[in-house]
Structures are given as C-alpha cells and as structure tokens.
C-alpha cells in the first residue's frame, strides 16, 4: 500500500462544513507567515519613495528635482515623462487618474514624482528635497463645500424609482424631513501597501503585490509600460488585511515599482510608511443623506425620497459602483411602497475614496435605519416595533419588490429578528434599562436591535466569474490554485475544503498556492463578499472533472458501473474492493488519465440595467441581526458597549469557525466606523488624522464586554451556491449599526425619549456629549 501524503495527520476528510483552523493561523501567531516585505531581496534591489504635493488644488508652475537627484544613494527620479505607455491608472476606464501628476495637482498628497535609491531611507529623505512652485486654485474637501461650490460629479449619478413618490408622499398623515452626516473610514490594514517588481527578459516583469485584484495590477502595469498583458505576471500569496483598500489602491505602487524595475533593470520595492499610506490611498466614502419620508400613525412607511451625496475625491476610482450600492441598500430590510433614491457622487479635492467592506451598503443602510429611528421617536414607539412593521413580507404579500425592482424571495429577516429578540431577552432588558435611566443621574443606558439584509454579487455583471486550476499528483497529493486572494479572511482554507470534500480526502492533501495571473487569468477582485461563492464553485468544477475521470477509469479497469464507485474517506470503493485514493490515482496515471483540470464558474440569474434602474443585480441576500446594549457618561460623552448578541445567516456554513471569526471582526470594525474612527481634513485640505496617534481604531478593550455570536444553523441558501453556503465578508459589518442606535437611545433618555437625538456618525464622545447638552437644553 502506498504511504499517506502526510504522516500523523489529523483526519479531516469530507472537510466542507467542518470548523477547521485557518491554513496560516499558526504562521500568523508565530510570525512565520511570509508577506512581501519578508521575501529575501535579491542583490541590487532598489527602493522607491513618493514625492507628494503639498497643495490641495494647484497648477504646477515648475518642478525642480536637481537636489533630489543629487541626494545620497539616489539612482533615478521618475516623472510622468518617463512613462513609456500611458500615464493613467484609473480603474474604471475614465482616464482621470494619472500615475504621476503632470500639469496640476488635485489633492494634498498627490504623487508628482518617484525617487529610486539604494535604501528606503535614502529614497524617503531625497523625496523631501524637491522645489516646486504652485499657483493655488480654489479647493473644497467636504460634501458641504462641494455643494456650495457647485462641484462637478466624478461619475454619472443613478436614480432608483418605483411607484409615484411625488404624488404619494403628501397622502399619509405624517411626514418627516431630515439629514444625516456619515463619516468615512481608513482601512488600517496591518500590512500597508507594498509592491516588489523583478525585471525579466524582453518585456517581461514579475510583480509581487499586496492586492485584492492581481488581474487589475497586471492590466495597469501593462498599460503604464505599454506592453501586452502576457508580459506581466502578478503574484499574491497573502495580505495582512485588505478590507477593499487593496482592490484598486495598489495600482500606484505596483506600476511605479514595475516602471522603475524595467527602466533600471534591477529589482525595485515600494513600501510607504503608515503616514504616507494613509495620505495617498482612498478611504470609505463620507455621505450626507437627505431624506423625506411619509408614514401613518402606526409607523408604516408609505413613501421615501432620499438623496445620497458622497465625498468621492478628485477622481472616479470606484465611486460609481460604491454610490450605486448605497442606493441598493437604502431600503435596508424595509419595503417602501413608493420610493425615489438618488446618488450624488461629488468631486472634492481630497484623495479619491475607494472600496471598503460593504462598498457603500453600510452608508445606504444607515440612512434607512435613521428613518426608522425618526419615525419611532415621533410616535413614541420602540424602534424594533417600527422595524418589524416595515419588513419585507413573504412572497404573495405584495411587499417583496425592492426599489430596483428585484423580488425578495428569500427573506428570513423576521425569523432571525424574532429568534434573537427572544434569545437575548430584548424586551425585558429594554424595560429594565428604561427603569434604570429614570433613577440614574449620570450614567444612561440604551439598547437596540437592528437587522441586516445585504445583496450578494458584483453589480457589474461581468465580474461575477472565476477560474481555478487543480492538479492531482501521482502520490495523491493535490495542487490548488484559483483567482481569489487571501487577506486573512480564510478564503484559501474554504476553497481547499471544497476540493478535499469533492475527493473525500484529508484537507492536508490539498496544497494551497499563491494567487498568480500566470495560472488563472482574467480574475475578478476578491471583493463583494463573493470570494467563496465564485472561487469555491470554480474549484469544485475543476475537481469534479478529475473525479469524473477517475470514476470512468475505475469503471473501465474494474468492469463495474458508475454506481459501484464510491469515494470514501481517503479511499475509493470500487465494486467490492476498497482502494486507497493514491493507489487509484497512480493507476489512473499509468492508464494516461488526465489528472489536471481548469474549472470555471459564472453566477447565474443576475442582470442589471443601470440606466433603467431595473434588474436582478443580486443572486441572493444574506441576513443578520444584532442586539447591543451600551452605557454612556452624560458628563463626558464617553461610553462602553456592555453586551452584544448576534444571530447571523451564512447559509450552510463552509467553515463555522472562520465564519464566526468574520462576524466578530466585521462587527468590531463596523463599531469603529460608527463610534471612534474620524477622518479630519484641515482648511488646507490636509488629512490630519494620518497615524495611530490621531486616528482611533477599536482596541481589544473596546469590544463588547459580553459578546455572544451565533450562526443561524437552520439556514441554507435557497440558491445552489457552493455547499448551500452564503457570503460572510461584508454583511456582518452592518450589525454594528445596533451600537449607534443604542447610544442614540441612551442620549434620548435625557429628554424622556421624546426627541430623536439625530446623532451623526461617527458618534465620538464629543458628539455624544454635544447631543446630551442639546437635549438637556430643550
């Protein structure tokens, strides 16, 4: 009998739906996981640094780089004139984002030139020696400034319309108009942006990039160098976090590294420090939501008219699809009989904002929850009752059509909410909190239960495709490669589980290899929560092809029917005989059976007509609910999250351990967005919150004191996704809205819950204190 692939291994065959550890978890905690900056540098490696603008909007009159070129260790200084192809790294084809500025600059920190030196320190020091003359031009850095200046839009806006909101909004007896400011967010990945380029022969260049989208890096490098895509190979083994910040923002560093490497014929690495990373790269979009809502005495919504204005920055980047997705989620979990939703993607003289976990969905959903909160306080009701009254209904109720005319056929939100309402003892706790607030002069408490309904799929239909490559070797070991990238979320582990499950072998047999454009081409970004859905199915398709060939071989060799071939754990039953998996594989090889396959998957059923605002953009919806309880100090505005209970829907989980970790992490990151993380630009357009000293992400001590997270074990996807699972990357981020709503209730207790506090996000202690003082004065 052949020896097993791995000695003393834990038996984990049939690995799909099993709680396995992340494949690199032991490497993460021991520091042995290899990131790009850990790759041994070849002899002669050079290092790059950026020369940045110190104006928000200005014409470049002169750029004197003599002192830069003469600085110690400097090998070359690159400007736009050194680009052999196109000086453009715009991700959407609008050609509005030059790699290096030429005639003007449009945000404080825009790259004008790049320095290549023998060491990183020499390059950074030299970059500060440039003498640049500017002619200052008018600038604005926020939504209000953009509106006041009559700012242009960075891309075409979108409107979703259903029913007749113009005439219907006057019919109900009650109506509220309001506005809410929603702040942006820095990605703050642990591993910053980095790229390392190695020149090859002829036009070839190999690029290691910390990116969620290797194929886009490939396209951009080829575009900038003026060469074909086949000359560029991009590799990504893992990232130390991404959260959307590495979907397009890696283009700058990869293209400059490749440009320098090919120009100088030496390896080149670009690794900005944290300050430069935060200044140069885009964030989550700030939004201002203006809403007009009509409703009846029970709290049932009749008509909504909302505008979602966004601070997009100086170029389009991904602002079009981000603001589109904000509108797609501006209904949250609620049916609007008559609705108009309009986006306003505003140009500002700030860094171009970009993808961030949820991709506009959190901002859209938060606007909807503010509407519910306003109605509840106006009627003196528990916001949960107003929520449940307005939930999408079951098919046949007439309450299933979204503002974009997709039917919600799979809604389980009411079941989730009512199950969590009971398990968390929400009603009793809320009564106790109201009683506590009546007698507590300083500390006030609040509690809120909020829902999540999040659409899964790229809204650009073409991106909903994936490829995978699977090889089975003679010893029964398996090589897996696919187009998804690993940023700590466990995608590689989940897809390996799919392959192991297909062959019914131990997970240790499956070798997970770095994502590379040289193996699986034309990949989509690992984004839109679609990584497992797309790549899992592509890997399954490849593994299934090989399995079917093995079955056909077994039928020929053993003279049995297909029903007599069964894949058992690490072995195969063929008729009455049990054959080890590796023995069957080796026998198939000697019979010249092809043991390699390329798999492919494209999401079915989806289509979208943006101009008409109609279609079926999402394959399915993921749902969730959270109850959060908070305490605030009315003298300082400080607060803590006392307890959070979460019930989240991931369908039939591919890996419950990883999925629960994703829910926990998303919730805490969302909590940071809504409470502590604040981006602040000064009157010169400079980002002043550009380091951990001025920008506060949540700490371990900020997590809920009691944190109960459960997956809805009874759920499975109605659509035939891989293992009937559902996406988990983005949907749980919005569970954190429960924290903001709970803080709002605590503040509202100051005025006996008679007034909606209208807290803007983030609800920093300063904003909470100001809201408390405002309500005290009423």
């Amino acid at each position: 009998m052949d020896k097993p692939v791995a000695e003393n291994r834990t038996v984990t065959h049939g690995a799909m739906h099993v709680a396995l550890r992340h494949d690199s978890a032991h490497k993460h905690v021991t520091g042995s996981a290899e990131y790009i900056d850990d790759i041994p540098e070849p002899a002669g490696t050079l290092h790059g640094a950026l020369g940045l603008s110190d104006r928000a909007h200005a014409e470049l009159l002169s750029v004197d780089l003599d002192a830069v070129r003469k600085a110690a260790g400097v090998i070359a200084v690159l400007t736009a004139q050194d680009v052999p192809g196109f000086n453009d790294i715009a991700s959407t084809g609008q050609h509005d984002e030059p790699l290096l500025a030429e005639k003007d600059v449009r945000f404080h920190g825009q790259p004008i030139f790049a320095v290549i030196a023998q060491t990183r320190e020499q390059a950074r020091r030299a970059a500060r020696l440039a003498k640049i003359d500017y002619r200052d031009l008018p600038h604005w850095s926020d939504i209000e400034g953009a509106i006041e200046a009559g700012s242009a839009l960075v891309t075409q806006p979108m409107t979703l319309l259903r029913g007749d909101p113009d005439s219907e909004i006057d019919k109900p007896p009650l109506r509220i108009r309001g506005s809410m400011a929603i702040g942006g967010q820095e990605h703050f990945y642990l591993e910053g942006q980095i790229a390392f380029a190695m020149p090859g022969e002829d036009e070839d260049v190999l690029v290691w990039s910390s990116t969620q989208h290797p194929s886009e890096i490939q396209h951009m490098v080829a575009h900038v160098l003026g060469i074909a895509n086949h000359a560029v190979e991009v590799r990504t083994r893992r990232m130390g976090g991404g959260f959307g910040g590495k979907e397009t923002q890696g283009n700058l560093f990869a293209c400059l590294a490749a440009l320098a490497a090919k120009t100088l014929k030496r390896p080149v690495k670009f690794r900005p420090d944290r300050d430069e990373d935060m200044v140069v790269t885009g964030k989550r979009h700030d939004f201002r939501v203006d809403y007009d809502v009509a409703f009846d005495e029970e709290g049932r919504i009749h008509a909504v008219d909302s505008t979602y204005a966004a601070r997009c920055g100086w170029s389009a980047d991904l602002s079009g699809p981000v603001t589109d997705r904000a509108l797609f989620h501006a209904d949250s979990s609620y049916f609007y009989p008559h609705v108009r939703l309009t986006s306003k993607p505003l140009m500002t003289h700030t860094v171009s904002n970009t993808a961030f976990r949820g991709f506009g969905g959190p901002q859209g959903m938060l606007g909807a929850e503010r509407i519910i909160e306003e109605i509840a306080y106006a009627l003196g009701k528990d916001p949960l009752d107003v929520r449940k009254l307005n939930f999408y209904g079951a098919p046949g109720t007439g309450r299933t059509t979204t503002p974009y005319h997709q039917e919600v056929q799979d809604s389980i939100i009411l079941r989730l909410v009512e199950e969590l309402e009971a398990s968390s003892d929400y009603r009793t706790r809320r009564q106790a909190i109201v009683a506590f607030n009546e007698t507590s002069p300083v500390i006030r408490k609040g509690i809120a239960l909020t829902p999540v309904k999040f659409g899964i799929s790229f809204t650009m239909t073409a991106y909903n495709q994936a490829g995978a490559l699977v090889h089975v070797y003679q010893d029964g070991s398996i090589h897996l490669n696919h187009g998804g990238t690993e940023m700590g979320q466990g995608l590689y582990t989940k897809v390996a589980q799919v392959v192991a499950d297909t062959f019914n072998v131990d997970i240790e047999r499956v070798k997970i290899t770095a994502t590379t454009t040289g193996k699986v081409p034309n990949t989509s970004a690992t984004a839109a929560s679609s990584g497992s859905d797309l790549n899992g199915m592509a890997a399954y398709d490849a593994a299934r092809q090989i399995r079917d060939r093995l079955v056909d071989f077994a039928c020929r060799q053993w003279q049995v029917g297909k029903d007599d071939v069964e894949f058992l754990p690490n072995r195969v039953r063929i008729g009455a005989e049990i054959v080890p998996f590796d023995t069957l594989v080796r026998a198939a090889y000697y019979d010249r059976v092809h043991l390699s396959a390329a798999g492919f998957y494209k999401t079915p059923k989806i289509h979208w007509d943006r101009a008409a605002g109609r279609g079926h953009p999402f394959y399915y919806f993921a749902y969730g609910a959270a109850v959060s309880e908070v305490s605030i100090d009315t003298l300082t505005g400080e607060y803590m999250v006392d307890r959070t209970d979460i019930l989240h829907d991931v369908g039939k989980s591919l890996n419950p351990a990883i999925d629960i970790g994703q829910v926990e992490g998303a919730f805490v990151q969302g909590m940071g967005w809504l409470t502590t993380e604040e981006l602040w630009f000064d009157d010169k357009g400079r980002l002043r919150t550009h380091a951990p000293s001025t920008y506060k992400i949540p700490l371990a001590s900020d997590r809920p004191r009691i944190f109960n997270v459960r997956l809805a074990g009874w759920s499975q996807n109605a659509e035939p996704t891989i293992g009937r699972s559902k996406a988990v990357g983005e949907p749980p981020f919005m569970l954190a809205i429960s924290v903001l709503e709970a803080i709002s209730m605590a503040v509202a207790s100051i005025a006996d819950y008679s007034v909606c506090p209208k807290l803007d996000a983030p609800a920093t202690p300063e904003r909470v204190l100001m809201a408390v003082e405002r309500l005290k004065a009423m």
Side-chain angles (χ1 to χ4, degrees), residues 560-581:
V560 298
K562 289 185 177 182
D563 291 342
D564 290 321
V565 179
E566 180 185 6
F567 282 77
L568 303 172
N570 295 307
R571 57 202 193 282
V572 183
R573 181 185 64 80
I574 308 173
E577 187 175 348
I578 302 295
V579 179
F581 177 75

Side-chain angles (χ1 to χ4, degrees), residues 481-602:
N481 193 270
H482 56 81
T485 57
E486 176 63 56
M487 61 195 94
Q489 84 280 33
L491 173 64
Y492 275 22
T493 304
K494 285 186 173 182
V495 179
Q497 287 179 263
V498 169
V499 172
D501 190 83
T502 305
F503 292 110
N504 205 355
V505 298
D506 293 353
I507 189 75
E508 288 79 11
R509 285 185 184 265
V510 183
K511 174 69 173 178
I512 307 168
T513 58
T515 305
T516 169
T517 57
K519 287 187 177 179
V520 177
N522 307 319
T523 58
S524 297
T526 305
S529 304
S530 64
S532 296
D533 282 3
L534 295 176
N535 295 288
M537 288 294 274
Y540 170 73
D541 179 49
R544 179 194 52 77
Q545 293 177 50
I546 300 171
R547 187 190 65 191
D548 289 350
R549 293 174 198 154
L550 289 173
V551 170
D552 290 341
F553 163 71
C555 290
R556 292 196 312 272
Q557 190 74 9
W558 273 263
Q559 296 296 304
V560 298
K562 289 185 177 182
D563 291 342
D564 290 321
V565 179
E566 180 185 6
F567 282 77
L568 303 172
N570 295 307
R571 57 202 193 282
V572 183
R573 181 185 64 80
I574 308 173
E577 187 175 348
I578 302 295
V579 179
F581 177 75
D582 37 11
T583 300
L584 176 65
V585 168
R586 184 163 296 167
Y589 163 75
Y590 280 106
D591 196 55
R592 296 182 295 179
V593 173
H594 186 32
L595 298 174
S596 175
F600 181 76
Y601 176 74
K602 60 180 181 180

